[in-house]
Amino acid sequence: MERKHEKYERLIARCKTLSPTPTAVAHPCDENSLKGAVEAAEMGILQPILVGPRSKIEAVAAQFGLDISKFELVDVPHSVAAAEAAVQLAREGRAELLMKGSLHTDELMAAVVRSGTGLRTARRISHCFIMDVPSLDRAIIVTDAAINIFPSMEDKMHIIQNAIDLALSLGIEQPKVAILSAMETINPKLQSTIEAGALCKMADRGQITGGILDGPLALDNAVDLNAAKIKKIESPVAGKADILVVPDLEAGNMLAKSLSFMADADAAGIVLGARVPIILTSRADSVLTRLASCAVAALVARNRRENASKVVA
């Protein structure tokens, strides 16, 4: 078994070779959110732009001994205005990342998805947990467990592509994607198995690129080689999945929380499919998990930057 947190520590170490990524932090008006931004800056991962009521941010910094003197501070009156201003910084190209502070996730995402002024793209917006499970030799990406409640098959195509692009940014070559269901055979009575088979065919036809897909797969034979061998599943994905695609939000939420609370896993999180990656941290996250979320987002931003420069060249 790998030492706990080693996977996250490797991600953070990779960011130390990069320049800090300009990041709009929306409404960092409590200890956890402001401290998270400061810690990421001290590690050289982020270059925070603090967006919120100046008096509140400065009061929190003074109360908890946080030095914010080096950071730009955009003074706005309340959390809704902070979300809008942070999104505008991303639209202007001044920020390459967006980070949630102490406002509600709904407030931030409302500004992100707003028509005309938000950060929507042709992609469906989705969430990925990058999970450090101590008993596994690799980080596992679980998607989507936070945004899309009952995703359509078209939504799942975007969810999978977002996750593959994330895995590539993290240095995983040809990520293995397991599309999960309750069984590993197609059953006309179980819609998730039919969609899994269709999504795999979409990958065969080039509608999903960059990864190796298989499904339907049950959770055991997606992550455990012995389980796959016992069921005689011959697949480049079975037992070796890097990405777990769940049927719906409820299944994803239960899977992620089961790994966290019963397998001692940590869950860094990121939102993809918008113009910039979005860091969604929880007040319950450990310092290392918050830093890992920032590191993942910074690596995604770097990959986008490099791909954009290749297109220009």
Side-chain angles (χ1 to χ4, degrees):
M1 184 184 294
E2 263 194 296
R3 184 166 59 88
K4 183 171 167 60
H5 303 313
E6 188 169 329
K7 306 173 194 75
Y8 280 178
E9 288 167 356
R10 289 201 301 266
L11 285 174
I12 294 167
R14 286 182 61 191
C15 287
K16 292 181 179 179
T17 63
L18 309 177
S19 299
T21 306
T23 304
V25 187
H27 205 257
C29 294
D30 66 3
E31 180 187 9
N32 284 338
S33 59
L34 186 56
K35 190 174 182 181
V38 171
E39 287 167 344
E42 289 173 346
M43 295 286 289
I45 301 171
L46 305 183
Q47 177 189 325
I49 304 170
L50 307 178
V51 186
R54 179 182 293 275
S55 58
K56 285 187 178 181
I57 294 172
E58 290 178 342
V60 171
Q63 181 180 356
F64 297 102
L66 303 172
D67 181 7
I68 61 170
S69 60
K70 299 176 183 177
F71 308 144
E72 180 180 353
L73 201 162
V74 178
D75 186 18
V76 294
H78 46 65
S79 58
V80 173
E84 292 171 351
V87 165
Q88 185 59 32
L89 287 171
R91 285 179 63 89
E92 294 170 357
R94 292 179 57 196
E96 292 183 51
L97 299 176
L98 194 60
M99 184 175 182
K100 175 181 174 288
S102 56
L103 75 176
H104 292 295
T105 299
D106 288 349
E107 289 179 303
L108 180 61
M109 294 309 297
V112 169
V113 302
R114 187 166 292 126
S115 177
T117 60
L119 298 172
R120 276 191 178 277
T121 68
R123 288 269 187 95
R124 181 76 177 179
I125 291 174
S126 63
H127 181 274
C128 288
F129 278 121
I130 303 89
M131 307 208 66
D132 186 343
V133 185
S135 60
L136 296 178
D137 62 353
R138 62 199 181 280
I140 291 284
I141 296 170
V142 176
T143 190
D144 179 349
I147 291 182
N148 294 284
I149 299 175
F150 294 112
S152 66
M153 194 163 69
E154 184 178 6
D155 293 337
K156 288 180 181 179
M157 178 180 70
H158 293 291
I159 289 168
I160 293 168
Q161 192 65 65
N162 285 342
I164 290 172
D165 292 349
L166 168 60
L168 293 170
S169 298
L170 301 183
I172 303 171
E173 295 183 9
Q174 279 202 312
K176 301 173 182 65
V177 182
I179 306 172
L180 298 184
S181 185
M183 58 188 69
E184 59 283 340
T185 54
I186 292 177
N187 185 332
K189 296 180 181 179
L190 191 56
Q191 182 66 21
S192 61
T193 67
I194 299 170
E195 290 185 356
L199 288 162
C200 291
K201 184 52 66 177
M202 290 170 80
D204 291 342
R205 296 289 188 265
Q207 293 172 270
I208 302 170
T209 61
I212 304 170
L213 275 64
D214 196 9
L217 288 171
L219 178 61
D220 57 347
N221 47 61
V223 298
D224 187 271
L225 272 172
N226 286 331
K229 288 176 181 176
I230 289 169
K231 294 198 173 181
K232 296 182 172 58
I233 300 172
E234 295 184 9
S235 160
V237 174
K240 298 175 284 187
D242 301 300
I243 298 168
L244 303 177
V245 181
V246 298
D248 54 40
L249 184 143
E250 286 181 315
N253 187 277
M254 291 177 198
L255 172 57
K257 287 182 177 176
S258 295
L259 290 172
S260 293
F261 288 93
M262 293 191 283
D264 203 22
D266 288 311
I270 185 172
V271 172
L272 301 162
R275 290 194 193 184
V276 300
I278 303 167
I279 305 164
L280 287 186
T281 55
S282 165
R283 286 175 292 179
D285 286 344
S286 66
V287 171
L288 187 64
T289 300
R290 285 200 300 267
L291 289 174
S293 296
C294 295
V296 166
L299 290 169
V300 172
R302 182 195 66 170
N303 194 58
R304 290 186 177 189
R305 204 181 307 127
E306 290 178 348
N307 288 338
S309 64
K310 288 176 184 176
V311 170
V312 171

